[in-house]
Amino acid sequence: MDADAKTLQRPKPNAVLDGVVIRFAGDSGDGMQLTGSQFTATSAVVGNDLATFPDYPAEIRAPAGTVPGVSGFQVHFSSHDISTPGDAPDVLVAMNPAALKVNLPDLKRNGVIIVNTNSFTQNDLKKAGYDASPLDDHSLDGHRVLKVELTRLTRLALEKTGLDTRTVDRCKNLLALGMMYWLYNRPLDPTLRWIEEKFEKQPALLEANVLALKAGHTFAEATELFEMSYTVPPARLAPGRYRNISGNSALALGLTAAGERSGIPIFFGSYPITPASEILHELSHLKNFGVITFQAEDEIAAIGAALGASFAGHLGVTATSGPGIALKSEMIGLAVMAELPLVICNVQRGGPSTGLPTKTEQADLLQALFGRNSEAPVPVLAAATSSDCFAMAYEACRLAVVFMTPVFLLSDGYLANGAEPWLLPDLGKLPPIPRGFIERPDGFEPYARDPETLSRPWAIPGTAGLEHRIGGLEKQNVTGNVSYDPGNHERMVDLRARKVAGIASHIPPQVVEGDQEGEILVVAWGSTYGAIHGAIRELRARGSVRVGHAHLRHIHPLPANLGEILGRFERILVPELNSGQLRWIIRARYLVDAVGLNKVQGRPFTEGEIVTKIEEITGRSRA
């Protein structure tokens, strides 16, 4: 087999497509996340707009070849603006029977299935729960099935490397990737450079992966299996420098930017938990920006260290998921009482308890709002997209410093692991974050308040003249001395609540996308943005419904103009990946008859689900 794909001609016709959705699926050891990530990175280099949806198995290592062990990666790449990884795949690459069984129901009618026929043995079929091979029983007749001996072809391409069979077989994902690169006219160079860097110190593996990638490309070029190749032209994006970024990476960079802009070093204390762990990994590489990372022995120690760092003059940050928030709740209360800045990032996952640790959900909203003892109000923010995690992490730091308060930032597994193109921001244009330290002791009172923000001064301990008490006992107004006076306690509770409520005057007014008044307003938060945005764009293009979209990034306090916006629409729809938590707040706060669209399956909404619900409410049908 000729491995030098660059020297081959392209005798087969080429068609231009507007966009394609591909899902790579296989066993958790088949390298599907790597395959999808490399295809995504190359599509970004080509200039497509894109969105991804990695879908990990929940178990650390389910039995190989079984349905619970299936790992998937969906990528949507397009020549125009897109906001989701796509409702249904056009192409499914299935590395074994279990991957086919799990993902077949999502595939579009007449979609393409590329299967590794070497994995369709009786044993593999039995582990996947098939009584007979779906390749032979006509159950796939509604699709175009391309049968490829991926395992045999990989062994053939790598037979002279001297590697053992197990190592050779692990390269079959690169062979599949090479095929897809030929099919969609993607260059090999970005992945070849990645292989060279990753296996720089392992020349045998470097050679094997390069051979496998080129062999897949050559096979697709030479075989009659593919009748033609396809091209998806670059998207017309706003000018500027872009990079592909996941939500967790964007969040880490947003925290770092806030530290740089404010001049306050970031201290990040956390304990590993899916899907938040990557934030620690990302920040650990940013020490040159003054970021300090600390992996604690548990969640309580992590937030305790972060709060201690804030007391000492750093900006303390911690990140976790729902179960971790439960453990951190008492320390969040201490931050409320001490009135120290602290950012708490909650990358939500399916719950309760261990729940669905690798799947997404939005069910920690009420926990963020109310999950503490006594009266302990905390601002709550939520990122709307993977790249928006940068902006909202920065905003969380700004509010924490300006208002001397703990701040919740909500993300979720879908945003954390998904990726999209990100226009690099001009750091000089980010909102200023005033360095909040008091430096002169003249007239210092630890709980005196700024008349505009009601925040107390931030005094670094050990500074002469700025000595003060800190802790969880109630403070006497102004002096900060411990006080059990009933009237003082009520006064301090009221002050802390008014401080947080007053943030509404320091955040942007709510923006409505689409129609500014009309039949229905979709009110939402978090990772539902992409599906709702795409659905409303489709409905407005038809011209059948006057529909607007208010996506909340500040949830507590709510934007000051939200009540006025709600009054401009006849109906209110609140889609959420929970049982109706924001809907409950909207109904209670504004006394409007909001209806919900709720999904608690560990999977994000599709655009089609949003469109169908709006049509159901308005009584309109698809044209």
Side-chain angles (χ1 to χ4, degrees), residues 350-434:
S353 187
T354 306
L356 309 174
T358 60
K359 310 300 180 184
T360 196
E361 202 167 275
Q362 289 183 292
D364 294 348
L365 177 59
L366 296 184
Q367 182 189 33
L369 288 167
F370 307 118
R372 293 166 295 282
N373 64 298
S374 189
E375 302 281 354
V378 172
V380 178
L381 314 180
T385 66
S386 293
S387 61
D388 190 45
C389 288
F390 175 91
M392 296 315 290
Y394 188 92
E395 173 72 347
C397 293
R398 183 184 76 87
L399 295 181
V401 170
V402 171
F403 290 90
M404 293 291 287
T405 177
V407 176
F408 259 109
L409 172 58
L410 299 177
S411 175
D412 61 37
Y414 177 63
L415 296 182
N417 298 318
E420 61 184 358
W422 177 47
L423 177 61
L424 300 185
D426 183 344
L427 297 183
K429 294 182 179 179
L430 293 173
I433 301 177

Side-chain angles (χ1 to χ4, degrees), residues 19-53:
V20 178
V21 179
I22 300 176
R23 184 179 296 178
F24 299 94
D27 193 70
S28 58
D30 284 336
M32 293 296 93
Q33 303 304 319
L34 184 153
T35 308
S37 298
Q38 285 302 308
F39 192 95
T40 299
T42 301
S43 296
V45 170
V46 170
N48 295 136
D49 194 11
L50 57 88
T52 68
F53 178 38

Side-chain angles (χ1 to χ4, degrees), residues 122-151:
Q122 284 300 317
N123 187 42
D124 289 328
L125 291 168
K126 182 180 179 182
K127 285 192 287 187
Y130 279 114
D131 295 326
S133 174
L135 303 181
D136 303 324
D137 65 2
H138 302 289
S139 61
L140 305 179
D141 284 353
H143 304 288
R144 183 185 173 200
V145 181
L146 304 179
K147 302 175 183 178
V148 183
E149 295 180 289
L150 282 174
T151 304

Side-chain angles (χ1 to χ4, degrees), residues 466-485:
L466 301 182
E467 297 86 353
H468 61 285
R469 293 180 177 84
I470 204 77
L473 293 172
E474 183 60 281
K475 305 295 178 295
Q476 184 182 54
N477 190 25
V478 182
T479 69
N481 294 329
V482 173
S483 172
Y484 293 95
D485 176 69

Side-chain angles (χ1 to χ4, degrees), residues 245-485:
I245 198 163
S246 69
N248 275 346
S249 296
L251 198 156
L253 290 177
L255 296 173
T256 305
E260 284 288 293
R261 196 83 164 91
S262 65
I264 305 171
I266 297 292
F267 178 95
F268 184 80
S270 77
Y271 179 72
I273 185 171
T274 301
S277 301
E278 190 182 9
I279 299 172
L280 173 61
H281 305 161
E282 293 286 335
L283 287 171
S284 67
H285 298 302
L286 299 172
K287 295 176 181 176
N288 55 316
F289 292 103
V291 176
I292 299 173
T293 54
F294 169 61
Q295 179 177 323
E297 67 269 32
D298 59 41
E299 299 280 8
I300 300 172
I303 190 172
L307 184 58
S310 288
F311 178 52
H314 285 58
L315 178 50
V317 183
T318 191
T320 185
S321 193
I325 294 296
L327 295 169
K328 295 178 190 291
S329 62
E330 184 175 356
M331 198 63 72
I332 297 171
L334 175 58
V336 170
M337 176 63 82
E339 298 190 54
L340 285 168
L342 179 70
V343 175
I344 309 120
C345 307
N346 181 355
V347 188
Q348 301 163 95
R349 67 187 199 181
S353 187
T354 306
L356 309 174
T358 60
K359 310 300 180 184
T360 196
E361 202 167 275
Q362 289 183 292
D364 294 348
L365 177 59
L366 296 184
Q367 182 189 33
L369 288 167
F370 307 118
R372 293 166 295 282
N373 64 298
S374 189
E375 302 281 354
V378 172
V380 178
L381 314 180
T385 66
S386 293
S387 61
D388 190 45
C389 288
F390 175 91
M392 296 315 290
Y394 188 92
E395 173 72 347
C397 293
R398 183 184 76 87
L399 295 181
V401 170
V402 171
F403 290 90
M404 293 291 287
T405 177
V407 176
F408 259 109
L409 172 58
L410 299 177
S411 175
D412 61 37
Y414 177 63
L415 296 182
N417 298 318
E420 61 184 358
W422 177 47
L423 177 61
L424 300 185
D426 183 344
L427 297 183
K429 294 182 179 179
L430 293 173
I433 301 177
R435 188 181 172 94
F437 303 122
I438 186 170
E439 298 177 349
R440 302 182 62 177
D442 301 340
F444 171 69
E445 293 285 1
Y447 279 79
R449 295 181 184 277
D450 181 290
E452 182 178 354
T453 64
L454 294 182
S455 62
R456 76 173 188 87
W458 191 359
I460 297 178
T463 306
L466 301 182
E467 297 86 353
H468 61 285
R469 293 180 177 84
I470 204 77
L473 293 172
E474 183 60 281
K475 305 295 178 295
Q476 184 182 54
N477 190 25
V478 182
T479 69
N481 294 329
V482 173
S483 172
Y484 293 95
D485 176 69

